[in-house]
Amino acid sequence: MRLGSRRCALPCAAVREVLPLPRLWRPPGLPRPLAGFMNLAGEAVPVLDLPRLFGLAASGDAEDALYRHLLLTSGEGKPLLALLVDRVLDMRRIPPERLRPVPPEATLNGCATAEIETPEGFIHLLAPDRILLAQEAATLATLREGAQSRLAEWEGAGREGAA
């Protein structure tokens, strides 16, 4: 995937699905890295803008913005989270022997655990469990609960008025 000018990757086991960017609901007062929430079959799923979270410059090209993707992640016992990236480029199997340590200045706030050298440059492998700090994850859980409650109110109102 591309995040600003960087190429990064996630382990395949961490990605449940790649989605086009849908319309997001963004209540006022959200932290800047939280792009909003998407309604996925009645579940309020937070959408985290990875380039913004990591402080990476986004492309100013409006055409690029049209092709942004969401990586829907899920871990064992963890709620769904969508990661907004500039573009999903490819899916590859990388042999473990090709993984190299990451220089400290290139760890993206400690999230990159390894790098892969390719003819096009380096790809940084991100650890999904390191993307958010514990305090950020707790804040996100609270925001998710509020969004889910609001979504449930609207769904309940639609059924009450139906004949």
Side-chain angles (χ1 to χ4, degrees):
M1 63 186 153
R2 192 167 44 81
L3 305 177
S5 61
R6 292 208 183 189
R7 292 184 319 135
C8 297
L10 285 169
C12 285
V15 179
R16 181 174 140 177
E17 197 170 348
V18 177
L19 302 168
L21 180 60
R23 170 172 259 144
L24 301 177
W25 169 58
R26 184 170 170 74
L30 290 182
R32 285 195 53 197
L34 188 56
F37 292 89
M38 64 182 262
N39 180 349
L40 184 66
E43 184 175 351
V45 177
V47 176
L48 193 61
D49 188 330
L50 277 188
R52 183 170 279 164
L53 179 71
F54 294 144
L56 300 173
S59 166
D61 189 352
E63 185 176 324
D64 281 349
L66 290 174
Y67 297 104
R68 295 188 82 188
H69 291 107
L70 292 180
L71 299 174
L72 191 60
T73 65
S74 62
E76 292 180 28
K78 294 186 179 183
L80 290 175
L81 176 65
L83 304 175
L84 179 59
V85 301
D86 291 326
R87 186 168 298 190
V88 172
L89 301 170
D90 198 0
M91 292 182 72
R92 299 180 186 176
R93 291 201 183 276
I94 306 296
E97 61 271 8
R98 289 203 40 217
L99 299 177
R100 299 179 6 183
V102 181
E105 67 277 3
T107 64
L108 294 170
N109 300 337
C111 295
T113 58
E115 66 183 11
I116 305 143
E117 189 172 1
T118 68
E120 299 85 26
F122 289 100
I123 298 171
H124 292 96
L125 181 63
L126 304 179
D129 59 335
R130 293 186 183 181
I131 290 175
L132 291 174
L133 301 173
Q135 182 178 358
E136 292 168 333
T139 300
L140 185 62
T142 301
L143 292 169
R144 178 195 327 260
E145 288 173 16
Q148 189 64 48
S149 294
R150 184 171 176 159
L151 185 59
E153 287 177 18
W154 282 98
E155 288 180 354
R159 284 192 289 267
E160 291 172 7

